[in-house]
Amino acid sequence: MLFDMDGTLVDSEKLWDVALHELAAEYGGVLSAAARRTMVGASMAVSMLALHDDLGQPERDPAASAAWINARILELFRAGLRWRPGALALLGAVRAAGIPTALVTSSGRALVEVALDTLGRDSFDVVVCGDEVDAAKPHPEPYLTAARLLGVPIGRCVAIEDSPTGVASALAAGAAVLAVPAEVPLEPRDGVHQLESLTAADLELLAALLGEPPA
């Protein structure tokens, strides 16, 4: 099992909203809703470029903006993270069944370490962070890396995602994809099973996505 983090397991996209809008205000501008949507599931580098372009300030240093965002989002994460509906129960069922499990996120390691205080450090056999791969989502590398580290063929993995960027990454990697949109609507796509909430997901559904009976 391959789980995305932001918007999939935890309701953290709203915290990213806070930090991104605060940085835009710090720069004397207002982040548009359209630009914010492009950032959901994207890497920090891509998000900072989008923010600068949206504000009409392309000359700004993406690294400096990323450092500001990272510091602020760490504060917000430490204040507390809420599980997405059904996420905790599904993760618990997967772990109880002994299924190899990875966290595959565009967030950096420092932030993920804070999130793991909520998610549980024993909840995953492998954690792949956005700053630990050469190519971030929507490139397939994050999911291919997770499958390789788990020792499981990617074609035998189900990836759970909430964003178009994440879905594209998982599909390109060759995983079965379960999509549960949070902040951004998802268009129907071949190879993607979509639910409104993880409360409707269970081990039987995950097995069916791989074309096999449940364990």
Side-chain angles (χ1 to χ4, degrees):
M1 279 300 306
L2 311 175
F3 286 94
D4 173 55
M5 185 177 79
D6 294 299
T8 299
L9 287 177
V10 289
D11 197 13
S12 50
E13 289 295 350
K14 292 180 177 62
L15 303 183
W16 285 99
D17 283 344
V18 171
L20 289 164
H21 281 93
E22 286 180 351
L23 180 57
E26 183 79 8
Y27 288 166
V30 177
L31 179 64
S32 72
R36 175 64 185 105
R37 284 194 295 271
T38 69
M39 299 176 189
V40 176
S43 69
M44 180 68 80
V46 169
S47 294
M48 293 304 93
L49 290 174
L51 184 144
H52 297 164
D53 287 344
D54 189 53
L55 298 179
Q57 301 174 20
E59 71 283 355
R60 286 197 178 273
D61 179 11
S65 295
W68 194 101
I69 288 291
N70 278 327
R72 182 66 178 116
I73 204 70
L74 277 170
E75 293 176 351
L76 294 169
F77 268 49
R78 289 191 180 107
L81 287 171
R82 293 186 178 182
W83 288 90
R84 292 286 297 163
L88 177 58
L90 180 62
L91 181 58
V94 166
R95 295 307 281 167
I99 299 171
T101 306
L103 183 68
V104 188
T105 175
S106 293
S107 293
R109 171 61 68 171
L111 186 60
V112 173
E113 286 298 320
V114 175
L116 287 172
D117 290 338
T118 296
L119 296 172
R121 297 179 189 280
D122 296 330
S123 296
F124 309 97
D125 301 297
V126 168
V127 176
V128 177
C129 301
D131 56 355
E132 297 174 344
V133 291
D134 292 328
K137 300 174 186 179
H139 195 278
E141 183 183 348
Y143 280 107
L144 290 173
T145 299
R148 175 176 54 81
L149 292 173
L150 287 176
V152 178
I154 188 64
R156 306 307 302 159
C157 295
V158 176
I160 302 183
E161 274 283 356
D162 72 300
S163 71
T165 299
V167 167
S169 174
L171 277 178
V177 182
L178 174 60
V180 186
E183 302 298 321
V184 178
L186 296 174
E187 295 294 328
R189 295 186 63 172
D190 290 340
V192 178
H193 184 83
Q194 191 169 153
L195 296 175
E196 291 186 4
S197 166
L198 286 179
T199 56
D202 55 21
L203 296 182
E204 184 176 357
L205 171 63
L206 299 180
L209 293 177
L210 292 174
E212 61 186 32

